[in-house]
Amino acid sequence: MTTKVLVTGATGFLGRHAVPILRAAYGPDAVVGVSSKDYNLLERSQVQAMFDDHKPEVVVHLAAYSGGIGINRAKPADFYYINTILTAHVFEAAAHLGVRKLLYPFGGCSYPADATSPIDEGQLWRGYPQPDSAGYSTAKMMGLVAARSYRTQYGLNATTIIPGNMYGEHDNFRKEESHVVPAMVRRYYEAMLENKPFVEMWGTGKALRDFVYAGDVARTLPFFIDSFDESGPVNVSSGTSTSIRELAETIAKLVGFQGEIRWDATKPEGQLVKLFSADKLHGLGLSCATSLEDGLRSTIQWFNAHYATAGDGLRL
Ligand SMILES: NC(=O)c1ccc[n+]([C@@H]2O[C@H](COP(=O)([O-])OP(=O)(O)OC[C@H]3O[C@@H](n4cnc5c(N)ncnc54)[C@H](OP(=O)(O)O)[C@@H]3O)[C@@H](O)[C@H]2O)c1
């Protein structure tokens, strides 16, 4: 059997957005999604079995071990080890087994901790990333070294992209593991359910970030598969700026939380400005244009529909 597009990590957050979009682009039977339950990609033999079983023309390699800052602090070695092996195994197999295209994302946390916003792709190697997540971010960034190396030595057409701060349906809403948007959605949603008079937030709320709807990132994938034959990376983000205060107020409004939002300026709030340049993306004729309010509305509708019944599969 030859599978046109094989998606690893298909049960993850981005994978659940990517598979339907790839099926719409290439046909429902042309795209196969796999997870760790199908093949444990830490085992070289299972990576080989995956390629033997599917003989993919295109691999979208989304399998990774990822999470929020708390779990990154607790398990930096696991983040380093697992992501290094997942990256190395899939590139090595793809290069030797005739894959026409390999598409690989890594995160904006790979940029130097002191990068200047808006952060463009040229800043990637200019400094060490934020130390709390460096195990994860440097391991993931090796995908770019792999893309360039395997392109040079084996002619593998590998492309890397850097999705920004993604949010959307199917995100990881677990308390210990979540990123800022799902953590806030859950917090305000539960505060609404419990009728809490206030929610206390760390910092002033003035820090600026750009957020990108995962559906928008997924919609760019066919372009990177078919029409972009460079190693990258390309930032895939909205290129817009949102304050944490605006994010909190928008989420509070959309979940129906009517209490007060209290800002504790004595608590840390991270870098004041961290935004990604979308110039290169726009130069390719692509954009991630879903408004924050529209993207959050869909995310919260999904969260609301799954909150009471979700099993571990939805990671609530
Ligand atoms: N989330 C973001 O904001 C963000 C931003 C930039 C880049 N990225 C990158 O985008 C990709 C997808 O991220 P995500 O947020 O969708 O990740 P995720 O939700 O954590 O999903 C991870 C996926 O990887 C699979 N996986 C983990 N360990 C595996 C193993 N040993 N063997 C096979 N499969 C394994 C999981 O399978 P199971 O379900 O079976 O465990 C799951 O399908 C990653 O490469 C990540 O680095 C994410």
Side-chain angles (χ1 to χ4, degrees):
M1 182 175 79
T2 299
T3 298
K4 185 170 167 63
V5 182
L6 180 70
V7 182
T8 70
T11 50
F13 170 32
L14 182 55
R16 286 175 190 267
H17 285 268
V19 168
I21 281 165
L22 295 170
R23 288 198 168 131
Y26 301 107
D29 300 329
V31 178
V32 172
V34 294
S35 76
S36 68
K37 289 172 191 64
D38 303 300
Y39 305 97
N40 177 5
L41 302 180
L42 292 175
E43 301 293 332
R44 186 70 176 85
S45 59
Q46 293 197 31
V47 177
Q48 181 72 40
M50 178 179 80
F51 280 87
D52 288 346
D53 291 349
H54 295 284
K55 301 178 182 58
E57 285 175 33
V58 174
V59 175
V60 180
H61 181 33
L62 305 181
Y65 177 44
S66 61
I69 204 69
I71 190 146
N72 266 276
R73 276 196 194 118
K75 298 185 173 179
D78 286 0
F79 279 97
Y80 168 76
Y81 174 74
I82 293 171
N83 288 300
T84 298
I85 301 296
L86 290 176
T87 305
H89 276 170
V90 171
F91 272 88
E92 176 71 6
H96 291 286
L97 297 170
V99 166
R100 177 172 66 76
K101 179 79 191 207
L102 174 59
L103 184 56
Y104 175 92
F106 61 103
C109 53
S110 295
Y111 280 111
D114 61 355
T116 308
S117 291
I119 305 171
D120 63 84
E121 295 82 351
Q123 295 191 51
L124 195 61
W125 300 99
R126 295 199 181 144
Y128 198 69
Q130 215 274 329
D132 285 335
S133 54
Y136 168 79
S137 59
T138 54
K140 287 292 305 179
M141 185 176 172
M142 283 304 114
L144 175 57
V145 180
R148 290 176 177 161
S149 304
Y150 282 94
R151 181 180 292 280
T152 301
Q153 188 174 340
Y154 295 105
L156 178 67
N157 186 3
T159 291
T160 63
I161 57 172
I162 307 183
N165 296 311
M166 275 196 299
Y167 70 93
E169 304 88 334
H170 308 288
D171 205 342
N172 185 346
F173 289 87
R174 279 186 194 136
K175 281 184 180 156
E176 303 302 313
E177 298 175 16
S178 50
H179 292 111
V180 57
V181 175
M184 249 193 227
V185 167
R186 184 173 187 141
R187 226 172 137 208
Y188 283 98
Y189 186 88
E190 290 179 342
M192 176 274 294
L193 291 180
E194 293 160 21
N195 230 345
K196 286 199 170 151
F198 66 89
V199 166
E200 200 165 271
M201 304 290 297
W202 281 24
T204 61
K206 289 182 184 158
L208 299 177
R209 299 286 182 271
D210 69 309
F211 297 101
V212 63
Y213 179 57
D216 285 348
V217 174
R219 275 187 282 276
T220 68
L221 301 182
F223 174 88
F224 286 109
I225 290 171
D226 294 324
S227 308
F228 190 78
D229 293 331
E230 296 168 25
S231 303
V234 180
N235 288 342
V236 182
S237 201
S238 66
T240 58
S241 169
T242 304
S243 71
I244 295 297
R245 183 181 290 264
E246 183 189 343
L247 177 69
E249 287 170 356
T250 308
I251 291 174
K253 179 182 83 178
L254 292 173
V255 302
F257 171 68
Q258 297 192 331
E260 185 192 345
I261 302 175
R262 290 187 189 163
W263 296 93
D264 183 351
T266 65
K267 296 276 179 21
E269 58 189 342
Q271 259 173 288
L272 208 51
V273 184
K274 187 168 182 190
L275 306 169
F276 301 108
S277 165
D279 289 354
K280 191 168 175 183
L281 184 77
H282 295 163
L284 296 170
L286 300 171
S287 65
C288 294
T290 300
S291 72
L292 185 71
E293 181 147 349
D294 286 350
L296 285 174
R297 189 174 291 110
S298 312
T299 307
I300 289 165
Q301 275 167 2
W302 180 88
F303 181 82
N304 183 41
H306 293 90
Y307 181 76
T309 54
D312 209 34
L314 292 167
R315 302 185 300 186
L316 285 165

